[in-house]
Amino acid sequence: MRLALFWLAVSSRARYDPGKPQEHDGRVPSRRPSDREVADSGVRREEAERMPWFPSHSTVCDGRPCAPGEGNLQHVREDTPRGWRYKQWTQPYIHREAWVQARSRDVPHSPDEVAVYGDAVALAKRTALDGRVVVTSGDWDYRELVLNFVLHAHKLAYHNTLVLSMEAELHSDLTARAIPSADLSRSLAAWNETCLQRHIQAARTERHVAVAAMLAAGIDVLLCDATVVLLRPVVAELAAIPADLAVQRDAWPEDPVRKVGVAANAGFYYAHGTAAVSEFVLSAVRRGLIEFYLRWNNIGDQYGLSFVMADAKMDAKADGGAGGGRRGGGGGARPPPPPPGAAPAAAAATAAT
């Protein structure tokens, strides 16, 4: 087996230094926003002075459970020729570029920490069938999508499905429904010390570290976004692809597409449970933190996975295309035909391994 595993030869801190942050901690500033902060927030000054200093997310609204999306700061909407949409290049809180860039770009915990992922790995071992689990993730806002995913998986007899619950409220709800759930609310909170300040940024990234812990324990994982709907059996077909990691094709970000012709969708992949694949997934998380130089970017995990897979492809090509998958095949192999059981269509491309 050949995996292009490597330590990235770059700093774990941001290279871009827009100036010393005026506040180094998480306290709420007691000043007016600077001209630079107003401009970076994409609004006029009178609007900026009414905006909060931090993004916020809540599960309780007016003493009751929030409806999906209700507990988040709301973006401004605008009318466009294509209809109403959220206004681009604005955000509903003041952006402090220097403060964000000064935050940590290190993963706050490793996947082998028993105190962090011991319960999740134990749950995966109990839930697994033939050494495999089907995994999705979500928070309280995503509860209806998560339930929809699980019910469709159960219709296919995928009772080895479990949920990475990013909030305790979702974990409690799923547990009451007898749906296997791992409560990751505490590990999610650890991302508050990093450059990922938006709830969605941290939630998307945390799931991959949890998956890496399961892979290190020898468990195969099919990771799916909660928005995926499994229509026909697909797990066995994905497991049979001669690669250690099979990932849905994507067209973004552009740099990996220019380099190797394709990017990777971080929300649909099948990974075999080995220490090498676990480290590969974790390297994608690290790379995503390093590539996080656009505050608008909510898909840092996809940037990381796409970049490390593109580098792995180039590494395999430099070695003469010998590649090497779990059961033959290699970096130069043509991608397999799309599996017939996922919507949206999951044209799984073999990773360069």
Side-chain angles (χ1 to χ4, degrees), residues 132-136 149 153 158 160-163 222 224 230 235:
R132 304 168 184 158
V133 287
V134 177
V135 175
T136 193
F149 177 91
Y158 290 151
N160 56 332
T161 299
L162 64 87
V163 179
L222 171 61
C224 303
L230 297 176
V235 174

Side-chain angles (χ1 to χ4, degrees), residues 148-149 152-153 155-156 158 228-234 268 340-345:
N148 182 65
F149 177 91
H152 277 83
K155 285 182 66 176
L156 298 175
Y158 290 151
V228 169
V229 178
L230 297 176
L231 301 177
R232 293 185 297 276
V234 67
F268 192 97

Side-chain angles (χ1 to χ4, degrees), residues 47-62:
E47 295 178 70
E49 293 187 356
R50 295 193 299 267
M51 288 164 55
W53 285 94
F54 292 97
S56 62
H57 170 80
S58 178
T59 59
V60 179
C61 298
D62 298 326

Side-chain angles (χ1 to χ4, degrees), residues 288-312:
L289 289 168
I290 291 168
E291 296 294 338
F292 183 79
Y293 48 83
L294 294 174
R295 63 188 180 278
W296 320 98
N297 180 14
N298 287 334
I299 57 170
D301 58 334
Q302 183 151 319
Y303 272 69
L305 185 59
S306 295
F307 274 94
V308 297
M309 289 189 68
D311 288 346

